[in-house]
Amino acid sequence: MRSAAALVVLSCGVHGIATVHAQTRPPTSSAPLSIQTPDAVKTRIGELRYRDGFPDPATAKTVYDYLDFSRGVDSYLNGLPGVSLYALRKGFRDVGVKDGDVIMFSRLMDSNSLFLTANIDTVYFWTFIDLSKGPVVVEPPRDVLGVVDDMWFRWVTDIGIPGPDRGQGGKYLLVPPGYNGPMPEGGYFVAHSRTNTVTFLGRAFLENNDPKPAADRIRAELKMYPYGAGGYGSSIGSYLNGKAPLGELAKPASPRFVEGSGLAMNTIPPNDPTFYDMLDALVQEEPATALDPEIAGQFHAIGIRKGHPFKPDDRMRAILSDAVATGNAAGRVLSATARSEEGFRYYDQASQWTNQLFVGGYSFMAPPPNVTKEGVQQFPDDGARKLNARTAMFYVATGITPAMVMRLPNIGSQYIGTFTDARGQALDGSKTYRLTLPPNIPAGKFWSVTLYDNQTRSMLQTPQRFPRAGSQSYPTPAARANADGSTTLYMSPVKPSGVTAGNWIQTTPGKGWWAILRFYNPLPSFFDKSWRPGEIEEATSAASR
């Protein structure tokens, strides 16, 4: 039998450290030492003390503080997609855009508004749709890229070019959770939501470098109206057989449009304890069944419960202040300085270009399938959600759809981004950088590079207003290629001598920034990686090209 001073080795699995302590009391002779707890255990949260396994008051307080803190961090990370969308809707409402209204950027979006990584290349139109009173019909314009997500930022359906209408228009029936009323026999693309509110984001392409035709088409063709049960999509026979009411044909209605170009608004989720107030508001608005019970349990543990007021005391407020700061740090670290084992680097470890979505796809469960001449090759779902990829994605971006991460040429759009230069150093707004894109940039429609502010993850605000360069000549001049077919872009506070306006993006001394390279209708060389961009390199002048 071991002595009273027998050494016991404990492995602290939560923190990955092992400690050795003296057992100050006789061990229970009939029980293995591996299941017993010493009187003192050193951990990352402090020394935990027990009297024959019973925690002392200081230990109990330390552990409860830790549990509240860790669940506060988990609530931030798992609540971020929903709070991001809630903050976006609040930003709309703050400038008078109500649910059912459509904000449209008919002259494209600029850096006045705070939007997570918006682009300056397409005509955005965006709305929130209330399904609480029943299904709603959406008739989209032709030739748009559209997606419907629920309020926890989960994909519901694609609309337009990647959707079942394939860009030709049609009727979409958006059905709320718990709806058990009459449904049509046909005539609609039916999509079910797990939340009572959904968001519909659409993008339309410029025509001959002009956004006006797309904006005019959206205004003329977009319709949204309540579903009329027993009307269109239901036959007289279904009424006679008692399967549906005999309803009138619904009258398609155009929404109210609000011009967004030049409008200043804040749609960014907060990084202070008010984050949890927004999280609570969203939990109260949507059905309890909209959330996975494990995630809802994390919210519940910090006092956010469906049907109950969220009233954290001073102690909990202080803990949540630390938790949101830690969660925010996790978002920044994962998106800007991800470890190699996260798998975000799109090319290899020598390249700084990343994309978080190819690790787990739009659902963060399995990589998007390969598309080959032999057909679609699915990757196995290992049953684990890629949580770090999800955090990295929703910390810097909005919208989720398979169309954002599919290996299918000539459809949709693909993105890669970088927060650092070729040496892995943060990008400095006071320096001059260059980026060279080899010939034959793999974009069937167009390509662009846009710069974003490290702090806001929104477009970098400079006198230039449109911090982008690309192949389109609106809203800034198109970038010019070099004699060898490559294209060199410069990022600096002042345009380098000899560089054309379309090949220069302005930066601001004292402001950090990062970049996204976009490909619309990406070509096979993007997916097989036979084409790859250069890295962003520090330069002293245009002559150093």
Side-chain angles (χ1 to χ4, degrees):
M1 185 171 68
R2 306 289 294 275
S3 68
L7 292 180
V8 177
V9 178
L10 289 182
S11 176
C12 186
V14 173
H15 301 290
I17 59 174
T19 56
V20 180
H21 307 286
Q23 179 89 17
T24 58
R25 297 179 184 278
T28 302
S29 60
S30 61
L33 291 177
S34 62
I35 71 169
Q36 300 188 53
T37 301
D39 285 358
V41 182
K42 290 184 178 180
T43 73
R44 293 192 183 200
I45 63 173
E47 184 173 82
L48 308 179
R49 304 189 68 85
Y50 308 86
R51 181 176 179 83
D52 194 26
F54 187 87
D56 69 12
T59 292
K61 180 182 183 305
T62 296
V63 170
Y64 275 122
D65 285 350
Y66 169 73
L67 288 175
D68 288 339
F69 168 75
S70 65
R71 286 166 178 161
V73 174
D74 286 339
S75 293
Y76 175 91
L77 299 176
N78 287 317
L80 180 60
V83 173
S84 180
L85 196 51
Y86 187 92
L88 194 144
R89 185 177 62 167
K90 181 180 183 301
F92 284 4
R93 289 176 170 179
D94 288 346
V95 294
V97 182
K98 300 176 291 186
D99 290 359
D101 293 344
V102 176
I103 188 169
M104 182 165 65
F105 297 84
S106 63
R107 298 184 301 279
L108 306 190
M109 192 181 293
D110 61 24
S111 58
N112 280 329
S113 287
L114 299 179
F115 268 85
L116 291 177
T117 54
N119 73 56
I120 318 172
D121 307 301
T122 61
V123 177
Y124 276 112
F125 61 100
W126 207 325
T127 186
F128 287 84
I129 302 172
D130 182 5
L131 306 179
S132 63
K133 296 180 177 63
V136 170
V137 180
V138 174
E139 297 183 19
R142 290 165 294 125
D143 298 324
V144 299
L145 289 171
V147 59
V148 176
D149 290 329
D150 75 10
M151 283 302 292
W152 291 105
F153 246 143
R154 295 171 300 209
W155 179 65
V156 175
T157 187
D158 284 326
I159 287 180
I161 294 170
D165 71 287
R166 301 298 294 274
Q168 301 305 302
K171 296 179 187 290
Y172 286 78
L173 185 62
L174 305 180
V175 182
Y179 176 77
N180 56 9
M183 292 290 286
E185 298 168 56
Y188 294 92
F189 305 115
V190 179
H192 293 263
S193 171
R194 294 168 64 185
T195 59
N196 285 324
T197 301
V198 296
T199 188
F200 171 30
L201 163 63
R203 293 166 294 163
F205 298 126
L206 278 60
E207 297 180 17
N208 297 318
N209 293 298
D210 183 1
K212 188 176 184 302
D216 290 346
R217 187 173 69 254
I218 294 166
R219 289 192 187 95
E221 297 182 6
L222 178 59
K223 303 290 187 291
M224 300 191 308
Y225 51 94
Y227 167 62
Y232 178 85
S234 297
S235 66
I236 299 298
S238 66
Y239 165 68
L240 295 175
N241 290 324
K243 295 181 179 180
L246 187 60
E248 296 182 359
L249 294 177
K251 296 180 180 180
S254 298
R256 171 178 174 258
F257 286 93
V258 177
E259 180 56 57
S261 295
L263 199 61
M265 68 186 83
N266 174 30
T267 69
I268 311 299
N271 292 327
D272 64 14
T274 61
F275 176 95
Y276 298 102
D277 297 313
M278 281 196 180
L279 179 61
D280 174 66
L282 182 54
V283 167
Q284 303 307 328
E285 284 187 12
E286 295 297 342
T289 53
L291 280 171
D292 178 275
E294 292 290 330
I295 292 177
Q298 293 169 357
F299 303 164
H300 187 284
I302 62 171
I304 296 176
R305 297 184 292 164
K306 178 75 174 176
H308 295 267
F310 176 50
K311 294 182 177 180
D313 57 19
D314 291 344
R315 167 190 165 276
M316 182 59 87
R317 276 285 179 193
I319 288 174
L320 292 180
S321 181
D322 286 346
V324 73
T326 303
N328 176 58
R332 288 191 174 273
V333 167
L334 287 168
S335 56
T337 65
R339 302 171 296 188
S340 60
E341 52 263 41
E342 301 298 339
F344 296 169
R345 298 202 182 195
Y346 186 69
Y347 296 100
D348 52 40
Q349 296 307 307
S351 175
Q352 305 298 322
W353 293 101
T354 63
N355 184 309
Q356 316 92 319
L357 291 177
F358 280 91
V359 172
Y362 76 96
S363 65
F364 306 97
M365 294 298 293
N370 280 326
V371 180
T372 70
K373 294 180 179 178
E374 291 72 35
V376 175
Q377 297 176 347
Q378 299 287 346
F379 287 91
D381 181 340
D382 62 8
R385 198 172 303 282
K386 312 310 179 282
L387 299 178
N388 287 350
R390 184 178 66 182
T391 296
M393 164 65 190
F394 284 111
Y395 191 78
V396 298
T398 59
I400 194 70
T401 162
M404 294 172 66
V405 58
M406 57 183 179
R407 297 183 173 96
L408 192 60
N410 288 303
I411 294 180
S413 51
Q414 295 296 330
Y415 322 102
I416 51 177
T418 180
F419 283 81
T420 58
D421 66 14
R423 301 172 300 160
Q425 301 298 307
L427 296 164
D428 183 343
S430 66
K431 296 181 178 180
T432 297
Y433 296 91
R434 66 167 176 255
L435 167 64
T436 297
L437 305 176
N440 303 313
I441 298 171
K445 277 192 175 290
F446 59 90
W447 63 268
S448 70
V449 172
T450 305
L451 303 193
Y452 298 94
D453 185 314
N454 281 351
Q455 284 283 7
T456 66
R457 293 94 76 199
S458 304
M459 292 181 205
L460 190 64
Q461 294 183 337
T462 71
Q464 206 174 37
R465 236 188 105 202
F466 297 102
R468 54 83 68 181
S471 57
Q472 297 189 134
S473 61
Y474 183 94
T476 62
R480 294 183 184 176
N482 301 318
D484 65 357
S486 66
T487 302
T488 303
L489 307 178
Y490 286 84
M491 292 71 71
S492 59
V494 178
K495 185 169 71 67
S497 176
V499 174
T500 62
N503 293 62
W504 172 63
I505 311 175
Q506 189 172 23
T507 61
T508 300
K511 284 301 294 177
W513 58 271
W514 61 289
I516 291 181
L517 172 56
R518 290 180 167 88
F519 308 87
Y520 285 85
N521 283 26
L523 301 178
S525 60
F526 172 79
F527 297 108
D528 66 23
K529 303 178 185 179
S530 58
W531 182 95
R532 61 188 284 175
E535 303 295 314
I536 295 179
E537 300 175 312
E538 190 173 348
T540 56
S541 68
S544 64
R545 183 183 311 175

